[in-house]
Amino acid sequence: PPAATSSDEEDNSDSSTKPIRSEKKKNPVSLFQTGGDPPKEKKTKKKAPPKAAESEEETPESPQKNSNKKGKGKKSKKPKEERPPSPVIEVDNLEEFVLQPAPQGVTIKCRVTRDKKGMDRGLYPTYYVHLDNDKKVFLLAGRKRKKSKTSNYLISIDPTDLSRGGENFIGKLRSNLMGTKFTVFDNGANPDRANANWSNVRQELSAVVYETNVLGFKGPRKMTVIIPGMNADNERVPIRPRNDNDGLLMRWQNKNMDNVIELHNKAPVWNDETQSYVLNFHGRVTHASVKNFQIVHSSDPDYIVMQFGRVADDAFTMDYNYPLCAVQAFAIALSSFDGKLACE
């Protein structure tokens, strides 16, 4: 892959004077293709992926003052219809939809709400994801498990059933002891219970690594997101580790990047006027928070793979694009809520 763009180029990427380069840029979809054998598992009906259209949010606007500063941002007095809603998205089969990559050229816009009601919800809130459109279609719920030594979140396609054994369990997010590295699994079996050809074993959908930053509490976080690559049919290459040394984190640490893609959060730019770190969320984020982030590929920092940010005390927007699916995006967002991060 081409070398990462130099950091000064990235810092200017939000200036509205800069011409949009996306017409000449190669299709972002090619950034995520790694080949990979087409899966030999059950063939689902394939819908032809829609052709990548430029998302309507590519037009540069004056950067929103979305500082990454800790603490309450000033509430913006802008009218409510600032946040563009999600395009019409049909969710026929929820289980299929939440694991399917976003269609090319479509940004799937969601809203994450955090519910802290009840006895132990302060420690173990439940998070819900809905499509951010008129119908507010429910997609996923997530909650931290209580008796785990490390942070362990269950992700379910039923807002009322967050049990590990239930049939609505769709994935989980697990952290290391330090709480700085996370792995996202689907609902397949543990490698101990593999069938003869391993087709029932759980896939790793993503890994997230947080670096404590040199500024300690003051500066923005650094995140690295590792995901499986896509094959020629634009399907995720299945990564089914047989043991702990074969997962996405170990492959990334050992620089074994076959069928693996590395993404990172876009570095915010210091803004002298507001005295804070700023990212342009195009009106989708209204509150300052250390948790606001955008995930990009270093070869094309203008293509936002995912963005997440606060819009109210317990509400966040979560927008994701190809090649992510809802479970990957939600799990990445959940990792950013985790309390143990030494990078607050």
Side-chain angles (χ1 to χ4, degrees), residues 68-318:
N68 244 22
K69 230 177 8 189
K70 185 99 171 133
K72 293 273 174 279
K74 293 192 189 62
K75 294 222 176 17
S76 59
K77 300 270 186 297
K78 297 222 167 61
K80 257 289 177 260
E81 55 281 357
E82 176 89 289
R83 225 177 54 234
S86 190
V88 179
I89 287 153
E90 290 306 320
V91 181
D92 307 327
N93 173 337
L94 185 54
E95 185 170 0
E96 216 172 87
F97 177 83
V98 295
L99 287 167
Q100 229 165 31
Q104 293 166 28
V106 177
T107 300
I108 298 189
K109 297 174 184 170
C110 307
R111 189 176 176 90
V112 175
T113 47
R114 175 169 55 186
D115 176 8
K116 295 181 182 163
K117 294 198 246 331
M119 283 287 287
D120 52 6
R121 286 287 176 85
L123 289 171
Y124 300 99
T126 306
Y127 298 91
Y128 301 101
V129 184
H130 291 81
L131 283 180
D132 195 5
N133 57 13
D134 298 343
K135 292 206 180 102
K136 305 272 180 283
V137 181
F138 167 80
L139 297 181
L140 294 164
R143 188 171 189 208
K144 197 175 197 171
R145 294 181 74 179
K146 291 188 183 153
K147 295 192 170 60
S148 285
K149 289 196 273 301
T150 62
S151 294
N152 203 324
Y153 291 80
L154 287 186
I155 299 174
S156 168
I157 48 175
D158 182 325
T160 59
D161 172 22
L162 282 149
S163 63
R164 175 74 177 81
E167 57 206 40
N168 297 304
F169 167 68
I170 192 93
K172 72 170 185 181
L173 169 76
R174 193 178 71 192
S175 84
N176 64 350
L177 279 166
M178 293 281 296
T180 52
K181 293 178 181 162
F182 294 80
T183 303
V184 184
F185 300 95
D186 71 1
N187 54 2
N190 189 305
D192 307 342
R193 295 190 284 282
N195 61 11
N197 65 356
W198 285 80
S199 62
N200 67 332
V201 171
R202 63 189 181 197
Q203 293 187 40
E204 286 195 8
L205 299 178
S206 178
V208 190
V209 179
Y210 288 89
E211 280 171 58
T212 47
N213 61 65
V214 278
L215 297 169
F217 297 132
K218 301 224 170 18
R221 296 173 171 178
K222 282 188 77 174
M223 295 166 73
T224 300
V225 174
I226 304 129
I227 56 171
M230 308 299 278
N231 67 18
D233 291 332
N234 297 312
E235 292 167 336
R236 203 165 32 245
V237 177
I239 294 204
R240 291 197 169 86
R242 305 198 165 209
N243 55 51
D244 287 342
N245 297 322
D246 182 32
L248 288 170
L249 283 170
M250 286 307 283
R251 294 182 188 203
W252 174 75
Q253 275 162 275
N254 297 332
K255 311 237 183 314
N256 166 18
M257 300 299 281
D258 292 346
N259 291 332
V260 177
I261 303 281
E262 179 184 328
L263 307 168
H264 56 87
N265 64 319
K266 193 167 184 170
V269 185
W270 180 256
N271 180 322
D272 275 338
E273 195 186 321
T274 58
Q275 287 294 298
S276 58
Y277 287 97
V278 178
L279 278 172
N280 185 0
F281 286 89
H282 299 288
R284 292 281 295 162
V285 175
T286 53
H287 284 46
S289 168
V290 65
K291 296 184 176 74
N292 298 350
F293 62 82
Q294 289 177 327
I295 300 293
V296 294
H297 190 294
S298 57
S299 301
D300 186 354
D302 298 334
Y303 180 76
I304 308 289
V305 179
M306 170 187 176
Q307 69 177 19
F308 180 78
R310 182 179 291 229
V311 289
D313 281 349
D314 285 307
F316 305 81
T317 48
M318 177 184 95

